[in-house]
Amino acid sequence: MTPAPRTLELFYDVLSPYSWLGFEVLCRYKKLWNINLQLRPSLIAAIMKDSGNQPPALLPRKAQYLQNDIRLLGQHIQVPIQFPKDFFSVILEKGSLSAMRFLTAVNLEHPKMLEKVSRELWMRVWSRAAEKAGMSTEQAQGLLEKISTPEVKNELRDTTNTACKYGAFGLPVTVAHLDGQTHMLFGSDRMELLAHLLGEKWMGPVPPAINAKI
């Protein structure tokens, strides 16, 4: 008899490149590890404010390190991350509120499409994200109209508050619910520790079953 899947929650924001790395690794392992992966779109700016943290990219040395680190990690994990030329204006000015409300609306109305739409937003194909994920123009327009509704705003706020209650000070955050205990892991580089908690084997960021398809 196959044991019931263990529940993992992934709190993420498309503004966070490390969230994308963790997202892809967990998506690759969800069947191999028999986990129920619950994607939880959250607002990183609100988590930073609540915890008193600041984006590392605001510090020049960290920003320089960040660009090289993400480039190398993208190659290692086989995720096509490209630093946008307007990265700092995106971080400081544009933010991710509209994007995360859109993903919250997707989760409420079409939850099975959340993984694909999230991935497309990370790919920075913003105007074509819903279309490339297989969503009709009518569906996408309907969701865009919902992003300002109280339902979507409240859902995003509640999810973000949940991440804060778990102790989040940034994203991504993976929360594992195991044997009545809750384990909060920060960052995209805690997968080996997660495997240990699950009693599973860590086979690198691109496990053999996935690597054979690439």
Side-chain angles (χ1 to χ4, degrees):
M1 184 176 179
T2 304
R6 282 75 55 86
T7 297
L8 295 184
E9 297 177 88
L10 176 66
F11 295 85
Y12 65 96
D13 188 317
V14 296
L15 206 61
S16 163
Y18 293 102
S19 286
W20 189 11
L21 297 173
F23 167 91
E24 294 294 357
V25 172
L26 287 177
C27 286
R28 293 167 185 171
Y29 271 92
K30 60 184 178 181
K31 290 184 178 179
L32 293 173
W33 284 352
N34 188 31
I35 57 176
N36 173 24
L37 180 60
Q38 298 180 358
L39 300 177
R40 305 293 301 274
S42 311
L43 192 62
I44 192 170
I47 291 173
M48 290 281 189
K49 182 178 179 180
D50 183 77
S51 65
N53 200 358
Q54 289 190 359
L58 295 181
L59 298 174
R61 289 186 183 180
K62 282 189 176 182
Q64 185 176 7
Y65 174 82
L66 194 70
Q67 294 191 43
N68 190 55
D69 186 50
I70 290 172
R71 179 180 61 83
L72 292 175
L73 282 172
Q75 295 172 358
H76 176 57
I77 300 176
Q78 298 183 27
V79 174
I81 287 182
Q82 294 184 355
F83 241 76
K85 294 180 180 179
D86 59 344
F87 178 74
F88 292 102
S89 66
V90 169
I91 290 289
L92 297 175
E93 298 171 15
K94 189 173 183 179
S96 61
L97 180 59
S98 294
M100 300 318 293
R101 283 181 179 172
F102 182 76
L103 289 180
T104 299
V106 171
N107 196 28
L108 289 170
E109 300 291 326
H110 308 283
K112 291 184 179 179
M113 302 193 75
L114 182 59
E115 178 182 330
K116 290 184 178 181
V117 179
S118 297
R119 182 174 290 113
E120 291 302 334
L121 282 176
W122 266 306
M123 296 285 283
R124 298 191 61 79
V125 193
W126 286 59
S127 62
R128 295 166 53 201
E131 176 187 346
K132 288 193 68 176
M135 187 176 289
S136 70
T137 303
E138 292 77 13
Q139 286 176 318
Q141 184 60 39
L143 292 172
L144 286 170
E145 292 172 356
K146 280 183 170 290
I147 66 174
S148 296
T149 63
E151 180 186 17
V152 168
K153 290 181 179 180
N154 291 337
E155 180 67 19
L156 179 58
R157 185 183 301 113
D158 290 345
T159 301
T160 301
N161 287 339
T162 298
C164 290
K165 289 177 181 177
Y166 282 133
F169 50 87
L171 292 175
V173 161
T174 303
V175 178
H177 302 275
L178 304 170
D179 300 325
Q181 296 186 20
T182 299
H183 304 270
M184 191 276 281
L185 304 176
F186 171 72
S188 59
D189 58 351
R190 295 293 183 268
M191 300 304 168
E192 191 168 0
L193 176 57
L194 178 59
H196 169 71
L197 290 173
L198 292 168
E200 298 286 355
K201 183 179 180 181
W202 170 245
M203 296 175 281
V206 186
I210 299 297
N211 205 20
K213 299 178 182 179
I214 298 178

